[in-house]
Amino acid sequence: MPLRSYTQLASSILGHFRLATLCRILPCPILLSGLSLGLFIPFTPLAAEVEPSSTEAPINHEAPISSGLQALLNFDFSGAYSELREHHENLSPSDPLWPEAAYAYAQAAWHRSPPNNNTIRRAREVLEEVAIQAEGTPLGAAALLDIGRILEVADNRDDQPDPEQAERYYRRVLEEYAGSRMAQRAALYLAQVKVQSLEEARVREALNILQQTEDVDRFPEWAAVMTYYAAHLSYFYLDDADTALAYFERARQLGFANQATADRKLWQFAQIARKTGRSNWADKWLQQLLNEYPNSIYGWAARQQLGASPDSETLTSAQDRP
Amino acid sequence: MKIAGKTISPAWISAVLLFIAYLFSTGRALLISCSTGDHSMFSDGRIIRVAHWQLEPGYREGLQWAIDQYNQLPRVREAGITVEQIPVTERVYPQFLNVHLIAGTAPDIAVAAGSFTGGADAARFFAALGEFVNSPNPYNDPATLAAAIGEESGIALDLDGSLSNTPWRSTFADNLETGFNSQLNDYYAIPVSTWGAVRIFYNLELLATGKRFALEAAQSESEPQWLRQLWQTPENPASGFLLRNQANLSWLENFRQPPETLGQLILFCEALQAYAAASGQSTLVPISGSNYVSSDMTIIYRTPFLSGFHEDSVFFTGTGLNSLEIIDAFSRGIWNFEKPAVREYFKLGQQLSSYYPTGFLGLDREQALRRFVLGQAAIMAAGGWDASSVYAGVRSRDNPADQFEVAVRKYPLPAPGERWSEYLNARTNEATASGGVSFSIYKQTKSLDWTLDFLKFLTAQPINRRFNAEAGWLPVTSGAEPVEHMKPFVPMMEGIPEGWSLRPRYVTGALSFAWTQNLKRFFSGKSNYDEMAQAISDEFLHELRGVFGLWQSEFQRARDRSRARDRFTSIERLRVLRTGDEAAIDRELSLMEATLTSDEGVDLRNAWSRLYPDTPFLKPPVAK
């Protein structure tokens, strides 16, 4: 339809407006748009002014690496990858910025979405370099743990996991960094790789690793995680209630890693204790649940099991007057 | 057109109108731009924007009262800080927030909703508050608060000082559990109100009408059929609902007394239905049901009926029930539609939904509310968040004669011996109805200190009490007494956990559709029990889409969760390596604990190996 037909159509809709009238007021919006631009432009912040670059000036890597790290800490893996990729590749390993920049770049390459085998492979290469360059430091150990994890799991359909090789990396940290927090982490990773097989012998191996590595005096928070995990494995994988309950009692004394789920853990192991005839344990843990988590959703059920009379008014009374 | 003797072309009038509209909109845009931008034309002030979707009557006004109090604090004024609220309708709020989060222009404080509230997105867009919630809220100190707001504010400062040294986290009635993100092991939100539990609203005028009608029927020489069939008698033991005894007849005589038992509730509903038919009031119904979950009274009774299969259905002792466990238990015959508890639950549901308006599934929350407020329904189930709407709606009836008194009660349970008393012997725990309107702080806010300060002010005991009283909501701060008419909505922390009930959620589309649609068809009378049971069973046991398909999808989800946890763990570990941040250490430990017990779906494989020891994982078990 030619432009004139549209104008005629609009004119007929507007009724008493003649075409000529419409044409007269049409410039108004254009004029007003121009006015708006004129009004707003002075208040619109300008983009950061950029100094003309000099070919001789050294490239400043610090600012973009810092920005990339910040993006990574904000869980913006793709943003971090874009920022860090170029600047990391241009840094020399002797540069003091290199270890952290390389490690951060590897994390971004590993975790950016969607998972890409090429970038994950590159992440692994960079982590290998970090493990060498930062050997003997927590960063070097962390790089080895990450390589183990990359090998252990499949990041996408084409990625073939290699748990045996993953175990070797975890064991390296366990041995080369013995007595450190990184070794504690390595023990947990190593144990859980073994449990993935669901074989009884391998689960028992996992329990042995946890037992041998646990260091309550130096790393009580890690010992608590290990002990709780051992309780979980003993009951749900080995059907060994006695050992499980003993481990759980120890974990309870050490304090749970995630306090938000403490009431659920107390309830769960109290149920295991009741089911297996250890009511003294059960009562103790249910009592703790009631004392320390009075608003827990398990409070009512705990009171029922302890034989304490729940608030019968709120439960079964037919009428609750406001 | 002639004005003052001069002929003026209509085109010029249009142009002038257009120009005026232009000037108005430009001026407004300019004002907003200047006041919220980095540079201000008119002052050095900074604006803290608070976005939420609580448009119920009174909430905005209550929040505005608190905001005004805060804006008047001398130190706030000196700093040039102004807090403003941005109320946005619920329908567009998630999109509104999503767009602004991505654009980097999100409000400083917002109720987290939409696509970016879970997992890494919560950590990416919102500030972790763990390091702030363990120290006391200074506004809970009587001296500090008095000094801050001054005597002229008129706020009752009856603070006993018991919260002065209490960590901010512990001053919340729910211990700030609502704001805790268990995946990230940190606090990401501060609730400022309490949702309140679902309660039953009664129109006392209609209650009296229905009971009077029932009493007359009960006292007549020949009881009508509708009443006779309600009494439990030796001849009618299975289908009656309550005993024809003195207690029930006395209750009928007290016209303004709401039902005390489930049997009395059903008696009243039947009476009102009969009254509506007898008086030709086709729009009058006993219960204002709709497709809004809270208004469906059937759901209130679900947990006590359907929690009995929980212990036998869970894969791991002592946990709640998830959808896979529910549907797998169905496939193993632990529960089915022949089980008395299941059958009876659906009978009760059918009974209650027969009192809803015809076509109730096409009605929404607003329509249910309107029907009750207009006096076209005697009963409505609603949460504490809707209470102010109900009261305001009734008060705002144009004709004072149309206004009516409202009574609020907990849902009635059957008296001993009444029908369903063997199933309904406990209530449902209402812990999930605690902290509400949880505000998160946008990570890119330029005024983190002031946003935190405002939230501390808002959750200080006297401020929180007054703000929620103005809003018609329940306060969230410990010891903040709610206003009288909101007390019935205080959640009950006693009762059966909701997570023990058969309630398949977050399942694959086909299973979810099969469950919800067939239930709706049954409750709306479009299918009978056997048809519903058959349709759901067919889908649950379907070779591909059924329980076996659910195992596959849950396993995939478990692996996806492992990937997500790997990302969190990496970042928290990086924080630990860089700064030794104690909070990051705690978060990493918590993530590790979760990873160990469920990594790569190992818990599902373990459960499968125990349930189906002769069948390789994710191969359909051979039917026995």
Side-chain angles (χ1 to χ4, degrees):
Chain A
M1 195 186 282
L3 179 66
R4 194 174 164 75
S5 306
Y6 279 117
T7 327
Q8 280 170 344
L9 183 68
S11 177
S12 66
I13 291 167
L14 289 171
H16 66 274
F17 284 114
R18 289 187 307 251
L19 183 62
T21 311
L22 203 64
C23 290
R24 242 181 284 156
I25 62 167
L26 264 179
C28 283
I30 299 162
L31 187 73
L32 297 179
S33 307
L35 251 171
S36 305
L37 276 174
L39 265 169
F40 276 99
I41 282 172
F43 301 109
T44 309
L46 294 171
E49 287 180 23
V50 181
E51 291 286 326
S53 62
S54 157
T55 46
E56 288 89 31
I59 298 168
N60 177 11
H61 293 295
E62 199 168 343
I65 285 173
S66 171
S67 159
L69 263 167
Q70 202 49 51
L72 191 63
L73 293 172
N74 282 338
F75 296 88
D76 179 5
F77 295 101
S78 297
Y81 180 78
S82 312
E83 293 260 17
L84 293 166
R85 184 179 165 193
E86 182 191 338
H87 292 277
H88 156 262
E89 300 288 4
N90 292 329
L91 270 183
S92 155
S94 60
D95 191 307
L97 286 174
W98 188 87
E100 192 175 61
Y103 185 75
Y105 166 60
Q107 300 299 323
W110 175 20
H111 293 309
R112 69 192 281 259
S113 198
N116 176 313
N117 282 346
N118 291 331
T119 54
I120 293 172
R121 197 177 305 117
R122 181 69 188 128
R124 200 183 139 190
E125 289 165 5
V126 174
L127 288 168
E128 294 275 9
E129 284 180 71
V130 174
I132 295 165
Q133 297 293 333
E135 193 181 352
T137 69
L139 199 65
L144 290 174
L145 289 181
D146 289 335
I147 298 168
R149 189 67 182 159
I150 289 172
L151 287 165
E152 183 193 338
V153 300
D155 280 288
N156 56 47
R157 202 174 284 179
D158 306 324
D159 188 13
Q160 283 303 313
D162 187 349
E164 282 169 23
Q165 219 188 327
E167 275 192 40
R168 279 196 278 278
Y169 278 90
Y170 296 146
R171 199 166 278 287
R172 260 184 75 183
V173 178
L174 198 58
E175 288 163 4
E176 292 172 20
Y177 294 83
S180 70
R181 280 199 176 82
M182 284 298 170
Q184 304 285 304
R185 291 176 172 99
L188 285 167
Y189 278 124
L190 188 57
Q192 69 97 15
V193 180
K194 292 184 181 293
V195 172
Q196 288 285 342
S197 71
L198 301 182
E199 290 166 17
E200 187 185 330
R202 300 265 290 164
V203 177
R204 290 198 187 282
E205 269 183 62
L207 281 173
N208 283 338
I209 290 164
L210 296 175
Q211 246 175 353
Q212 286 164 11
T213 318
E214 181 200 287
D215 189 341
V216 180
D217 296 332
R218 294 180 61 202
F219 311 115
E221 70 281 14
W222 287 98
V225 175
M226 286 182 185
T227 316
Y228 176 71
Y229 186 38
H232 180 88
L233 293 180
S234 300
Y235 186 73
F236 293 115
Y237 289 76
L238 300 175
D239 294 318
D240 182 353
D242 278 330
T243 311
L245 297 177
Y247 271 127
F248 181 77
E249 172 59 8
R250 198 144 164 274
R252 187 189 69 83
Q253 287 170 3
L254 288 166
F256 303 114
N258 187 345
Q259 275 301 311
T261 57
D263 63 328
R264 270 175 251 169
K265 290 176 184 132
L266 287 167
W267 170 259
Q268 180 172 46
F269 276 81
Q271 298 318 297
I272 293 169
R274 287 178 75 86
K275 204 171 161 182
T276 52
R278 281 84 166 173
S279 56
N280 53 334
W281 288 113
D283 291 355
K284 181 179 171 181
W285 297 334
L286 292 176
Q287 200 57 59
Q288 184 185 353
L289 188 155
L290 291 175
N291 293 342
E292 293 178 18
Y293 308 94
N295 288 340
S296 165
I297 55 164
Y298 299 110
W300 169 79
R303 263 187 286 276
Q304 295 255 309
Q305 292 191 352
L306 284 172
S309 65
D311 182 354
S312 56
E313 215 288 328
T314 55
L315 292 178
T316 55
S317 120
Q319 173 56 15
D320 303 289
R321 289 181 181 77
Chain B
M1 186 182 290
K2 282 192 172 182
I3 295 175
K6 289 187 177 175
T7 305
I8 296 174
S9 160
W12 281 110
I13 295 173
S14 310
V16 168
L17 284 175
L18 187 66
F19 192 69
I20 291 170
Y22 160 78
L23 279 183
F24 177 77
S25 55
T26 306
R28 181 121 183 91
L30 206 60
L31 273 174
I32 293 170
S33 164
C34 290
S35 59
T36 57
D38 293 338
H39 54 290
S40 173
M41 251 176 76
F42 304 113
S43 75
D44 296 329
R46 278 181 291 163
I47 293 193
I48 291 174
R49 293 167 298 159
V50 182
H52 64 90
W53 74 75
Q54 298 320 139
L55 303 190
E56 292 86 356
Y59 201 88
R60 280 165 289 175
E61 292 79 2
L63 184 60
Q64 194 56 48
W65 171 85
I67 288 172
D68 291 343
Q69 296 299 319
Y70 185 76
N71 286 341
Q72 284 167 23
L73 299 183
R75 55 190 285 270
V76 175
R77 281 159 60 185
E78 274 169 30
I81 296 290
T82 309
V83 178
E84 278 182 1
Q85 63 171 320
I86 309 175
V88 179
T89 176
E90 189 179 356
R91 284 173 203 262
V92 299
Y93 186 86
Q95 291 87 333
F96 162 83
L97 196 61
N98 286 351
V99 167
H100 283 288
L101 286 172
I102 295 169
T105 55
D108 306 84
I109 300 173
V111 175
S115 315
F116 303 115
T117 55
D121 289 323
R124 179 177 168 191
F125 292 115
F126 298 108
L129 304 174
E131 60 186 295
F132 308 110
V133 299
N134 288 316
S135 49
N137 175 356
Y139 291 111
N140 272 325
D141 176 54
T144 310
L145 185 62
I149 65 176
E151 286 177 3
E152 68 278 9
S153 69
I155 303 168
L157 294 175
D158 49 347
L159 256 173
D160 57 11
S162 61
L163 300 180
S164 299
N165 296 315
T166 310
W168 188 20
R169 173 170 56 84
S170 305
T171 65
F172 292 84
D174 68 347
N175 226 15
L176 201 51
E177 278 192 24
T178 317
F180 189 76
N181 183 322
S182 56
Q183 205 172 17
L184 299 170
N185 201 27
D186 208 330
Y187 295 88
Y188 279 87
I190 302 292
V192 297
S193 300
T194 294
W195 287 123
V198 172
R199 295 287 179 262
I200 313 290
F201 290 78
Y202 294 94
N203 174 332
L204 289 185
E205 309 297 323
L206 287 175
L207 184 75
T209 304
K211 288 180 80 173
R212 193 176 292 116
F213 187 78
L215 185 65
E216 284 168 11
Q219 289 172 342
S220 65
E221 283 185 15
S222 167
E223 280 190 2
Q225 172 62 22
W226 68 262
L227 182 56
R228 255 183 291 138
Q229 67 184 8
L230 300 179
W231 303 124
Q232 288 172 305
T233 60
E235 306 84 55
N236 193 17
S239 58
F241 298 97
L242 73 173
L243 289 166
R244 195 182 194 288
N245 58 21
Q246 193 53 46
N248 286 328
L249 293 173
S250 299
W251 169 77
L252 273 181
E253 287 168 8
N254 188 348
F255 295 145
R256 292 170 60 82
Q257 188 179 14
E260 293 184 338
T261 72
L262 182 58
Q264 290 174 357
L265 178 84
I266 289 171
L267 167 59
F268 167 72
C269 289
E270 288 286 339
L272 197 78
Q273 223 166 31
Y275 168 79
S279 58
Q281 297 185 58
S282 58
T283 54
L284 178 62
V285 293
I287 301 174
S288 188
S290 74
N291 61 19
Y292 184 52
V293 175
S294 298
S295 71
D296 186 358
M297 283 181 65
T298 309
I299 289 169
I300 294 174
Y301 292 98
R302 180 179 53 206
T303 299
F305 266 105
L306 302 182
S307 58
F309 306 101
H310 151 256
E311 270 188 45
D312 294 331
S313 303
V314 291
F315 294 162
F316 303 103
T317 307
T319 59
L321 264 176
N322 63 38
S323 298
L324 177 61
E325 288 166 329
I326 292 169
I327 296 173
D328 190 76
F330 180 84
S331 76
R332 287 181 285 129
I334 290 173
W335 71 276
N336 57 44
F337 290 94
E338 297 308 313
K339 297 281 181 186
V342 178
R343 189 175 271 278
E344 291 303 313
Y345 166 68
F346 282 99
K347 276 187 187 166
L348 171 64
Q350 197 175 32
Q351 190 71 35
L352 290 175
S353 48
S354 72
Y355 306 131
Y356 296 170
T358 308
F360 69 91
L361 289 174
L363 304 176
D364 63 15
R365 172 187 176 187
E366 299 299 327
Q367 287 163 310
L369 191 73
R370 201 175 308 128
R371 180 180 287 271
F372 181 77
V373 164
L374 292 175
Q376 293 301 317
I379 296 172
M380 186 180 73
W385 59 94
D386 270 333
S388 58
S389 302
V390 174
Y391 292 122
V394 173
R395 275 199 308 270
S396 67
R397 295 293 303 273
D398 295 335
N399 184 353
D402 292 336
Q403 294 177 4
F404 54 87
E405 273 189 75
V406 174
V408 179
R409 296 288 187 273
K410 288 174 188 161
Y411 53 96
L413 295 176
E418 270 187 9
R419 190 159 177 199
W420 296 308
S421 56
E422 67 270 40
Y423 301 105
L424 292 170
N425 50 19
R427 294 184 182 277
T428 307
N429 188 299
E430 294 173 341
T432 51
S434 51
V437 193
S438 297
F439 283 122
S440 296
I441 296 178
Y442 183 42
K443 214 166 189 171
Q444 291 183 38
T445 179
K446 288 170 183 148
S447 312
L448 178 66
D449 292 347
W450 287 106
T451 53
L452 268 170
D453 192 65
F454 173 66
L455 290 177
K456 285 178 180 171
F457 180 80
L458 198 53
T459 53
Q461 201 188 65
I463 305 296
N464 196 255
R465 175 179 50 222
R466 174 80 179 267
F467 143 54
N468 280 291
E470 299 267 340
W473 281 51
L474 290 170
V476 74
T477 310
S478 292
E481 187 78 1
V483 286
E484 202 57 33
H485 71 269
M486 290 304 294
K487 285 182 180 171
F489 297 94
V490 173
M492 286 182 298
M493 297 300 179
E494 295 289 331
I496 306 168
E498 217 178 343
W500 290 2
S501 175
L502 301 179
R503 185 189 176 195
R505 289 190 301 170
Y506 314 121
V507 290
T508 53
L511 293 177
S512 173
F513 188 80
W515 178 257
T516 54
Q517 293 307 309
N518 282 298
L519 256 59
K520 283 179 178 176
R521 283 178 60 78
F522 172 70
F523 287 132
S524 60
K526 288 182 181 156
S527 66
N528 64 35
Y529 188 75
D530 292 337
E531 287 167 346
M532 175 196 69
Q534 191 59 52
I536 293 176
S537 301
D538 288 349
E539 204 59 39
F540 278 9
L541 303 177
H542 188 276
E543 198 176 339
L544 296 173
R545 299 189 301 264
V547 60
F548 174 63
L550 189 58
W551 270 98
Q552 290 179 313
S553 69
E554 286 300 304
F555 183 60
Q556 186 54 49
R557 281 169 68 168
R559 298 177 75 182
D560 292 344
R561 277 196 295 272
S562 291
R563 293 288 74 69
R565 270 199 297 265
D566 277 343
R567 293 190 185 101
F568 301 144
T569 309
S570 290
I571 299 308
E572 298 305 345
R573 190 173 296 153
L574 182 61
R575 277 188 228 277
V576 175
L577 288 169
R578 295 187 79 213
T579 61
D581 181 353
E582 292 284 330
I585 293 173
D586 285 347
R587 288 195 291 266
E588 191 199 345
L589 283 163
S590 169
L591 286 163
M592 286 291 285
E593 190 185 87
T595 298
L596 294 165
T597 49
S598 58
D599 192 37
E600 296 290 292
V602 67
D603 50 341
L604 292 181
R605 291 197 295 116
N606 185 31
W608 177 283
S609 71
R610 284 154 184 267
L611 293 168
Y612 309 108
D614 302 327
T615 312
F617 186 56
L618 296 187
K619 299 284 177 208
V622 179
K624 287 179 184 169

